[in-house]
Amino acid sequence: MGNLIKVLTRDLDNNTGNFFLDFENAQPSAAEKHVWEKVNEVLTEALVILDDLQAYRGAGEEIRQAIQSPGEDPVQQRAWSAVVPLVGKLKRFYEFSQKLGPDLLMNERSVHTSSLQN
C-alpha cells in the first residue's frame, strides 16, 4: 500500500501505466495486520451500533407525561421503565464514539509512516 504514492507520483506518460491496484482483494502485510484487526473490529461493531441508532426512538412522550403528572406513580414508573434502557444505549453509543477518536490508530503511527516510505 505504501507503494501507492510512488505509483501515483510517477510520470505516467513515460511509464505507460502498466499496473493494477486490487483494492477489493487487498490483504494487510504482517506489519499492518494489527492495525487491520483493530479497525475491522471497530467497523464490525459499527454495523450493530448503526442499526441500534436507526431504531432508537427515545422516550419523549413518556417523559412529557411524567412531567405533567408528577403525583401519579404508574405514569412515573412507565417513564422510568422507558428511560433506563435508553440510558444504557446512549452510554454504549458514547463508548463506541470514543473508540473512533485519535486513540484508534495512535499507537500504530509508525506502521503507517513506514508503509508510506516503502
Side-chain angles (χ1 to χ4, degrees), residues 17-80:
N18 291 330
F19 61 90
F20 175 73
L21 297 175
D22 187 2
F23 289 106
E24 292 180 12
N25 297 311
Q27 295 295 318
S29 67
E32 298 166 332
K33 186 76 169 167
H34 177 70
V35 174
W36 183 88
E37 288 171 351
K38 200 172 183 182
V39 170
N40 190 49
E41 179 182 320
V42 170
L43 290 176
T44 301
E45 185 179 357
L47 295 174
V48 175
I49 294 291
L50 184 58
D51 286 343
D52 286 348
L53 277 170
Q54 290 173 338
Y56 186 84
R57 69 168 192 84
E61 185 58 34
E62 292 87 347
I63 293 169
R64 271 189 287 289
Q65 289 176 0
I67 291 171
Q68 292 173 354
S69 308
E72 296 182 35
D73 285 342
V75 175
Q76 299 297 316
Q77 186 59 40
R78 198 174 19 225
W80 184 254

Side-chain angles (χ1 to χ4, degrees), residues 3-4 6-8 10 12 15-22:
N3 290 328
L4 175 61
K6 286 182 184 177
V7 169
L8 294 176
R10 286 190 183 139
L12 292 180
N15 192 7
T16 68
N18 291 330
F19 61 90
F20 175 73
L21 297 175
D22 187 2

